[in-house]
Amino acid sequence: SESCKKVYITTPIYYVNDIAHIGHAYTTIIADVLARYSRLVGYDTFFLTGTDEHGQKIAMAADKAGKSPKEFTDSFIDAYKDTWKEFEIDYSHFIRTTDEYHVKAIQQWLQKLIDKGDIYKSSYNGWYCTPCETFLSDKETEGAPEDKSQDGPACPSCSRGTQYIEEECYFFKLSKYQDRLLDFYKSHPDFIFPQERGNEVVSFVESGLKDLCMSRTTVKWGIPFPGDEQHVAYVWADALNNYITAIGYLQEGKQAEFEKWWPANVQVMGKDIVRFHAVIWPAFLMASDLPLPEHLLVHGWIKVGDQKMSKSLGNVMDPRFLYQEYGPDAVRYFLTTQMAITQDSPFSLQDLEGRINSDLANEMGNLLNRMVTLAKRGGLDLVSVPADWSEASLKLQADAQKMVKDVQDYLDTYSLHMAYAEVKRFVAAVNAYFHAQEPWKLVKSDPTKFAEVISATAHSLYVIGVMYWPVMPDKMQ
Ligand code: ME8
């Protein structure tokens, strides 16, 4: 039955060269809202998040801090977990790519693809962006300098300089999967939300895929390649597979668990990494004879001015400050209901405070307080269901039912801000109802009618509390 349906939701695994910032919190909160909603509906839900700990970028940051890479990444894990706890992130499992089960499974997976002939040894030369851990395509390196010791062309994703690398490496036959990928996009038009992001992916794949370098010899911090320890796995080959190793892939005694959860129903991420998830990841899965995820939910960037908020740009907001200043629920409310997932959105404390004051305090909080205060004044301890509902109350009830349906429809297509705009609209409708009924007059003149108005208002607030619970689990409880 529907209620037995399973739902598997993931976030990206974040690089641990620092503590989490609000961009990471944004993605993780969106995923948590979806996971809580899914549990609320009654689905059997698994929610995965974690950390991406290998690769050149982490190794360089560790070096700078004078620590070994593992000591370095270890030093951030508690802070990550504490931040998620503070923000009421109720994940089912937290994966670290340094976890032994993951390392072993990746080595087995690489061997599987080597045996199949989808991974072969050759050599690579080209430009590399370390902050993004990305090889630039031919098109992206047009106009590269003759002198390879200089910084190369700007990375198309982060705009920073790239470095020339030339080394022996193992390749994955990505080009082999080009046609199958294009067929898949065509037959699954709702694979990527929002659809525009899907169009970009299709034209990228249509422009031609080259085989992907899967190993590095000049980087030491990574998973050793099976049978060739000079090489470590390219960090994305290691990282993307976390989504399957976390639920038991290639681990003894875990086949049933793996088959229960895979494929993922929705994988949440920022638009910076959509190419990895919409091209490389499905190709890996095809090569492994595994089904593809149902949906990728791709959100825009949180910006400061017109720049992306990012650790390497040094303009990040610390979620711990927001937690202390505003508490988790208000921040979750702001991030998931006031920012359109489809767009880049500026983040400002002024906007956040504005929403707290108007939506949460004035509209919802005041309504609740006034209702409770009046109920007490009228001696009502228990909100009972009256024998007769007035026309206005019945209208409010119909409105509540429509709101619930609309929220479900929007959430089914991951339009969080549209969904919660419906709840907000209903809060306004309850306010209008409450004021029009003038219960402060009825409390003396007509106790029966008074009890009915309080009951309708209280029931409406209950519905609002349930619908907002995935967003504000603490306050709504
Ligand atoms: O890319 N606005 O890790 P990462 C919105 N390890 N979201 C933002 C953001 C911003 N300003 N900044 C970061 C990696 N994010 C890889 C992923 S997955 C197999 C490997 C969020 O630490 C957003 O979800 O750079 C983005 O995709 C992610 O953090 C990148 O995190």
Side-chain angles (χ1 to χ4, degrees):
S1 77
E2 269 291 279
S3 65
C4 293
K5 185 176 139 175
K6 72 87 191 168
V7 173
Y8 180 29
I9 299 173
T10 69
T11 73
I13 47 173
Y14 307 111
Y15 289 126
V16 277
N17 49 349
D18 206 341
I19 56 166
H21 70 69
I22 196 70
H24 301 129
Y26 180 50
T27 313
T28 313
I29 289 168
I30 289 173
D32 186 65
V33 170
L34 294 175
R36 284 177 183 273
Y37 168 70
S38 167
R39 293 188 196 111
L40 189 62
V41 175
Y43 297 149
D44 194 4
T45 306
F46 195 94
F47 169 28
L48 177 72
T49 190
T51 45
D52 189 355
E53 308 195 7
H54 293 123
Q56 189 167 3
K57 171 180 170 134
I58 303 283
M60 283 164 68
D63 202 47
K64 218 171 137 191
K67 290 188 176 161
S68 78
K70 184 61 171 36
E71 273 173 350
F72 181 69
T73 59
D74 280 349
S75 71
F76 296 114
I77 300 302
D78 285 347
Y80 253 92
K81 289 185 175 169
D82 287 349
T83 300
W84 293 162
K85 198 167 177 188
E86 286 177 348
F87 281 93
E88 302 163 302
I89 306 296
D90 193 8
Y91 54 78
S92 316
H93 182 66
F94 187 105
I95 186 172
R96 302 180 58 180
T97 54
T98 49
D99 287 339
E100 199 181 301
Y101 71 85
H102 173 80
V103 172
K104 281 192 177 153
I106 293 299
Q107 287 176 323
Q108 280 190 50
W109 176 77
L110 289 167
Q111 189 61 54
K112 217 170 115 120
L113 267 59
I114 294 168
D115 295 345
K116 190 182 174 189
D118 270 4
I119 289 180
Y120 62 93
K121 199 169 180 174
S122 181
S123 69
Y124 178 85
N125 59 69
W127 299 89
Y128 192 76
C129 173
T130 306
C132 296
E133 300 279 17
T134 309
F135 301 94
L136 267 60
S137 72
D138 286 348
K139 211 167 156 199
E140 289 160 350
T141 49
E142 275 167 16
E146 285 291 318
D147 179 0
K148 307 283 195 255
S149 64
Q150 285 182 19
D151 259 13
C155 167
S157 174
C158 74
S159 318
R160 277 165 296 196
T162 50
Q163 282 78 47
Y164 193 75
I165 58 175
E166 186 163 21
E167 55 193 66
E168 182 189 77
C169 85
Y170 285 89
F171 281 92
F172 168 67
K173 283 189 183 164
L174 184 60
S175 58
K176 174 178 156 186
Y177 294 95
Q178 177 164 336
D179 294 340
R180 269 182 72 186
L181 284 169
L182 289 170
D183 287 347
F184 175 77
Y185 305 141
K186 204 178 252 169
S187 56
H188 297 79
D190 59 356
F191 177 50
I192 302 174
F193 281 98
Q195 212 129 29
E196 307 90 84
R197 298 263 169 260
N199 302 339
E200 292 161 22
V201 168
V202 171
S203 47
F204 172 74
V205 176
E206 275 171 347
S207 76
L209 292 179
K210 288 207 313 181
D211 289 350
L212 175 73
C213 181
M214 290 283 272
S215 72
R216 301 290 308 272
T217 52
T218 53
V219 178
K220 297 294 163 217
W221 176 234
I223 299 181
F225 230 70
D228 196 346
E229 309 251 316
Q230 291 302 318
H231 293 253
V232 300
Y234 167 46
V235 63
W236 278 96
D238 157 356
L240 285 165
N241 285 297
N242 89 86
Y243 302 128
I244 51 178
T245 63
I247 48 169
Y249 182 59
L250 295 180
Q251 290 149 64
E252 228 180 277
K254 297 216 158 164
Q255 183 65 13
E257 186 189 335
F258 174 66
E259 281 171 11
K260 171 179 176 184
W261 297 112
W262 192 257
N265 299 74
V266 55
Q267 304 206 260
V268 189
M269 72 205 66
K271 64 181 183 179
D272 48 334
I273 54 177
V274 63
R275 231 182 245 183
F276 291 98
H277 286 81
V279 181
I280 298 174
W281 178 224
F284 282 173
L285 291 166
M286 286 173 177
S288 320
D289 299 313
L290 291 174
L292 271 44
E294 254 175 47
H295 302 298
L296 305 182
L297 173 58
V298 184
H299 63 69
W301 284 338
I302 298 181
K303 295 203 152 185
V304 181
D306 48 355
Q307 273 192 318
K308 177 188 175 201
M309 189 187 281
S310 100
K311 282 184 287 213
S312 30
L313 293 172
N315 60 359
V316 299
M317 175 140 317
D318 185 344
R320 293 173 307 183
F321 163 78
L322 294 175
Y323 169 78
Q324 271 154 21
E325 208 67 15
Y326 306 101
D329 285 32
V331 177
R332 288 172 64 107
Y333 175 81
F334 183 74
L335 291 176
T336 53
T337 70
Q338 300 305 305
M339 309 232 232
I341 271 188
T342 47
Q343 286 155 22
D344 292 343
S345 311
F347 181 88
S348 81
L349 294 181
Q350 244 166 325
D351 290 346
L352 171 65
E353 286 177 10
R355 290 342 300 186
I356 294 173
N357 291 335
S358 69
D359 302 0
L360 301 182
N362 290 346
E363 287 173 37
M364 197 163 38
N366 267 348
L367 176 64
L368 177 68
N369 280 340
R370 296 190 65 187
M371 185 274 286
V372 170
T373 310
L374 269 180
K376 277 192 181 149
R377 208 197 306 155
L380 285 179
D381 290 329
L382 197 71
V383 185
S384 53
V385 179
D388 286 309
W389 292 106
S390 70
E391 194 141 322
S393 300
L394 287 173
K395 230 179 106 198
L396 192 65
Q397 186 190 54
D399 198 359
Q401 280 164 347
K402 180 181 179 311
M403 179 272 285
V404 170
K405 170 89 176 56
D406 289 345
V407 170
Q408 288 178 330
D409 287 347
Y410 278 124
L411 286 182
D412 283 345
T413 54
Y414 311 115
S415 301
L416 275 79
H417 71 289
M418 299 292 284
Y420 292 107
E422 293 301 323
V423 189
K424 184 173 138 94
R425 190 195 51 71
F426 183 63
V427 173
V430 184
N431 261 311
Y433 164 88
F434 190 76
H435 287 274
Q437 300 303 310
E438 301 185 312
W440 50 91
K441 289 186 183 160
L442 300 174
V443 66
K444 289 261 158 56
S445 63
D446 189 346
T448 312
K449 174 89 182 127
F450 173 75
E452 192 234 320
V453 172
I454 293 297
S455 179
T457 308
H459 280 94
S460 298
L461 279 161
Y462 177 74
V463 177
I464 291 164
V466 171
M467 297 316 282
Y468 267 147
W469 176 80
V471 176
M472 297 178 279
D474 184 42
K475 280 202 191 316
M476 294 305 113
Q477 196 85 43

